[in-house]
Amino acid sequence: MGIIRHTKSVKSLIQAFNESENAISVAVLLKRFKEDMNKTTVYRILDRMEESGVLHSFIGKDGDRWYSKYTENTSASSTISHPHFQCDSCGKSECLTLDINIPPLPNHKVDSASLLLIGQCQDCLIEITQ
Ligand SMILES: [Zn+2]
Ligand SMILES: [Zn+2]
């Protein structure tokens, strides 16, 4: 495991992430590749890409799963993941390059944490203030 065979489907998905600066929701991916691959294939490739550390995922405000590439600033090394931001107006989601420190919890072991900040993104804020 860990090695992804670069089939045509895998390449299309990798390309979608390379072309996008922001996270992409599973719903969007399923719609985009509806003609080329079935749902199971999309889910399976996303799982593999996450397992091999190419992508990471988080749950958006509507319970949708979003996938995003790792960048220099959002490395996979930390067990506590970086926070994400979702825009309430346009729905865009992005990785935030911030370190959130989770305080130690006595008598608990924390394996993962997720923080989703919801608000207005830069583009939507400009529209509101104009
Ligand atoms: Zn927005
Ligand atoms: Zn992220």
Side-chain angles (χ1 to χ4, degrees), residues 73-75 78 80-83 96-102 115:
N73 298 316
T74 56
S75 78
S78 164
I80 307 299
S81 86
H82 54 272
L96 296 177
T97 53
L98 297 170
D99 273 336
I100 300 283
N101 292 312
I102 307 290
L115 180 62

Side-chain angles (χ1 to χ4, degrees), residues 69-105:
K69 276 179 305 183
Y70 279 110
T71 65
E72 271 173 59
N73 298 316
T74 56
S75 78
S77 58
S78 164
T79 38
I80 307 299
S81 86
H82 54 272
H84 292 96
F85 183 92
Q86 186 163 12
C87 177
D88 214 11
S89 303
C90 68
K92 187 171 82 181
S93 292
E94 56 194 324
C95 296
L96 296 177
T97 53
L98 297 170
D99 273 336
I100 300 283
N101 292 312
I102 307 290
L105 290 180

Side-chain angles (χ1 to χ4, degrees), residues 16-27:
F17 284 99
N18 284 341
E19 284 168 0
S20 171
E21 275 179 36
N22 298 306
I24 312 177
S25 75
V26 172

